[in-house]
């Protein structure tokens, strides 16, 4: 067993030796000879050397203990870091619980419509909830559940609809893949239609009757983004099931036990390389729009749009066109239309928010039992007390509209909407 001595202990021992040497001399009773003195000195010197060796050995062991302590401390820190990284990986990468990676949002809009020759209406048109969840830093689930017209059920006006439920995988900064049920990438409003993002109480009729917004299908879609502002989307999806006469809007199956005999192919290109400017064009093709009927209708939808902002000024315009080929009504073979909408928005003050005014001309024709030709002029105002709450009012000249044929010449509309 090795003995460890501190510096104080060594000093005490040496002092003891010196005192003991002085003690021996009187005991001897006589003065030692030179030879005896030399022997005593030699013995004391040997003892001193032995003690010095013990001191050096103790110092070496102390250094070893310190090194081992540092190594142990480093191992403990490395283990703690590994446990932390493992915990983050098992929980999806954010380090928190699932609730910290799940977000909830939504929007809603209430409309009141007043006609000269028809009953006035008020309708809570849409109540929508979003629930999104990040599985990790590159895989995300997006969902959207909507209640239309307040009450849903047999004999009721409303519906409960699942409008989005897809997984997005961001493989790189420039490429992602969507799989599931998603909104079709066509037009200006089909994907972004929260009430605070557009003018007019109701959505414009071009996108409602021709595109037909809101339009969703199930499938797979790739998204490519380039540094110059160009982006491309392309996918294969479920398709419409249009009756042989050629009424487009009623052909939406909403992915509810949908007929899936004829797939749809969709592609869109957008350019946003200039600040404030968005240019876009899209195509949708289906070789048989009447897939559950004996008749066959080949269909091609093409759209083009521009959205330009500079200061408070904004200009939106869209053109859409269906070309049908097959055993359908001749009046339905070409259905097309456009709208042009200049607007201006300004800030009243920091407390009261923003005001905006707009003008829109819409010219379109679509098939619904017969060809409906429309030319509508519209002016209105939006008031945003905060960015995500909007109050709306507009006046429409519907005197040249087959869509509103029996409702008079002028329509007045009021609305309120929100998003969170």
């Amino acid at each position: 067993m090795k003995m460890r001595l501190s510096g104080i202990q060594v000093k005490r021992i040496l002092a003891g030796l010196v005192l003991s040497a002085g003690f021996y001399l009187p005991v001897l009773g006589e003065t030692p000879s030179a030879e005896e003195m030399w022997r005593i000195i030699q013995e004391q010197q040997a003892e001193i050397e032995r003690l010095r060796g013990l001191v050096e050995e103790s110092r070496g062991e102390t250094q070893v203990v310190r090194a081992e302590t540092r190594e142990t401390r480093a191992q403990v820190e490395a283990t703690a870091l590994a446990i932390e990284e493992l915990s983050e990986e098992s929980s999806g990468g954010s380090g928190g619980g699932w609730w910290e990676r799940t977000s909830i949002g939504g929007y809603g809009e209430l409309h009141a419509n007043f006609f000269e020759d028809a009953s006035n209406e008020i309708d809570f048109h849409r109540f929508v909830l979003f629930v999104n969840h990040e599985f990790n830093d590159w895989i995300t689930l997006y969902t959207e559940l909507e209640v239309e017209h307040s009450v849903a059920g047999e004999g009721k006006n409303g519906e409960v609809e699942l409008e989005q439920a897809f997984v997005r995988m961001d493989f790189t900064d420039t490429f992602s893949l969507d799989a599931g049920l998603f909104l079709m990438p066509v037009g200006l409003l089909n994907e972004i239609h929260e009430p605070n993002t557009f003018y007019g109480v109701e959505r414009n009729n071009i996108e409602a009757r021709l595109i037909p917004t809101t339009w969703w299908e199930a499938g797979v879609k790739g998204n490519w983004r380039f540094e110059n502002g160009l982006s491309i989307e392309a996918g294969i999806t479920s398709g419409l099931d249009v009756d042989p006469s050629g009424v487009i809007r009623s052909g939406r199956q909403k992915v509810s036990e949908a007929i899936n005999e004829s797939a749809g192919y969709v592609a869109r290109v957008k350019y946003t390389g200039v600040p404030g400017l968005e240019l876009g064009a899209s195509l949708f093709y289906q070789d048989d729009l009447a897939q559950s009927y004996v008749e066959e209708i080949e269909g091609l939808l093409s759209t083009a749009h521009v959205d330009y902002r500079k200061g408070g000024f904004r200009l939106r315009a869209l053109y859409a066109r269906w070309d049908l080929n097959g055993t359908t009504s001749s009046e339905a073979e070409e259905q097309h239309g456009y709208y042009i909408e200049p607007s201006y928005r300004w800030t009243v003050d920091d407390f009261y928010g923003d005001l905006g005014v707009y003008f829109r001309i819409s010219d379109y024709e679509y098939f619904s039992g017969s060809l409906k030709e429309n030319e509508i002029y519209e002016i209105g105002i939006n008031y945003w007390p905060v960015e995500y709450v909007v109050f709306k009012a507009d006046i429409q000249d519907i005197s040249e509209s087959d869509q509103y044929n029996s409702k008079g010449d002028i329509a007045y509309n009021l609305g309120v909407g929100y998003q969170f």
Side-chain angles (χ1 to χ4, degrees), residues 378-392:
E378 179 177 337
I379 59 172
I381 185 169
N382 281 15
Y383 170 52
W384 296 269
V386 294
E387 184 64 30
Y388 297 105
V389 174
V390 64
F391 296 88
K392 301 181 177 183

Side-chain angles (χ1 to χ4, degrees), residues 97-320:
W98 64 268
W99 57 90
E100 296 182 62
R101 290 171 279 113
T102 301
S103 59
I104 298 175
Y107 71 88
E109 51 189 337
L110 171 68
H111 301 159
N113 311 109
F114 304 91
F115 301 99
E116 290 181 325
D117 299 327
S119 299
N120 302 325
E121 294 179 350
I122 187 165
D123 180 30
F124 202 102
H125 201 151
R126 298 178 180 90
F127 176 82
V128 178
L129 289 176
F130 304 127
V131 179
N132 303 328
H133 178 75
E134 295 180 354
F135 295 102
N136 57 27
D137 61 355
W138 67 283
I139 302 177
T140 305
L141 170 69
Y142 295 90
T143 69
E144 177 181 349
L145 188 65
E146 176 170 331
V147 177
E148 288 196 343
H149 307 299
S150 297
V151 181
E154 186 175 357
K156 306 297 182 182
N157 293 322
E159 296 176 295
V160 177
E161 298 175 331
L162 182 65
E163 293 195 354
Q164 294 189 79
F166 68 93
V167 173
R168 171 165 293 171
M169 293 169 285
D170 292 299
F171 289 101
T172 68
D173 291 339
T174 58
F175 174 71
S176 61
L177 187 72
D178 298 344
L181 187 156
F182 50 79
L183 299 174
M184 298 294 277
V186 291
L188 279 166
L189 288 187
N190 197 56
E191 290 184 301
I192 302 174
H193 44 239
E194 289 75 9
N196 53 301
T197 64
F198 64 89
Y199 285 98
V201 173
E202 303 284 353
R203 298 173 182 175
N204 73 81
N205 286 300
I206 314 300
E207 299 192 69
R209 294 293 172 180
L210 293 174
I211 283 186
T213 297
T214 306
W215 180 19
W216 61 91
E217 299 288 354
V220 178
K221 176 170 65 75
N223 313 285
W224 293 264
R225 300 172 291 275
F226 303 93
E227 292 182 355
N228 60 3
L230 193 67
S231 63
I232 298 173
E233 298 167 71
I236 179 171
T237 70
S238 54
L240 299 171
D241 188 30
V242 176
D243 69 75
S245 66
V247 180
I248 296 297
R249 186 170 179 81
S250 63
R252 297 178 302 169
Q253 301 187 85
K254 303 185 178 181
V255 198
S256 175
E257 297 185 344
I259 302 297
N260 194 28
E261 298 293 329
S262 178
Y265 302 91
V266 64
R268 178 172 67 183
V269 58
K270 284 202 304 186
Y271 176 72
T272 55
V274 176
L277 176 66
E278 176 182 309
L279 300 174
S282 63
L283 292 174
F284 172 81
Y285 173 77
Q286 188 175 336
D287 63 357
D288 186 10
L289 290 175
Q291 52 182 320
S292 69
Y293 299 88
V294 176
E295 295 84 353
E296 293 187 355
I297 305 174
E298 182 184 29
L300 174 66
L301 169 66
S302 51
T303 76
H305 72 259
V306 59
D307 188 356
Y308 178 66
R309 303 185 195 201
K310 186 173 180 60
F313 175 75
R314 187 175 190 180
L315 176 67
R316 303 185 100 184
L318 177 138
Y319 175 80

Side-chain angles (χ1 to χ4, degrees), residues 309-339:
R309 303 185 195 201
K310 186 173 180 60
F313 175 75
R314 187 175 190 180
L315 176 67
R316 303 185 100 184
L318 177 138
Y319 175 80
R321 175 189 177 97
W322 274 101
D323 289 286
L324 308 185
N325 183 27
T327 51
T328 185
S329 168
S330 59
E331 291 185 321
E333 291 180 348
E334 293 183 6
Q335 304 179 50
H336 55 85
Y338 71 88
Y339 75 85

